[in-house]
Amino acid sequence: GHGIIDGQRIPLSDNTIIEKALGGDSGIICVEDLVHELYSAGNGFSAASNFLWPFRLTAAKTAFESQKLNDKEGKIYGDRGEEIDSLIKFML
């Protein structure tokens, strides 16, 4: 992930980056403390959430999704019977 320091996007490559940015008031000095504050919504939650650079999740089109789209087009539709095991293995 990345953090915001002085309005710039800084990669979180070391705990010293987190300690310098958040160590004073909130007491967050490492990645584990940062995750704990976010998970538990503790006293330093707002400082931790404001420190993190927002990121966007994009949905990649997987082979499963491609097959699912083909199923909707009429190639394979309905009860798969014995073939359901192979489909589940393919999805995993």
Side-chain angles (χ1 to χ4, degrees), residues 65-82:
E65 290 172 331
S66 298
Q67 182 173 351
K68 187 176 177 184
L69 292 174
N70 289 339
D71 291 351
K72 287 182 180 179
E73 292 173 0
K75 293 181 181 178
I76 303 171
Y77 186 76
D79 185 18
R80 292 186 178 239
E82 297 294 323

Side-chain angles (χ1 to χ4, degrees), residues 41-61:
N43 294 336
F45 177 80
S46 62
S49 64
N50 289 334
F51 169 70
L52 291 175
W53 187 272
F55 58 94
R56 186 181 323 172
L57 297 175
T58 58
K61 191 169 187 176

Side-chain angles (χ1 to χ4, degrees), residues 9 14 23 25 27 29 32 35 41 64 66 87 89:
R9 180 180 180 208
D14 192 3
D25 297 334
I29 60 170
E32 290 83 9
V35 170
F64 169 69
S66 298
L87 175 64
K89 286 179 185 176

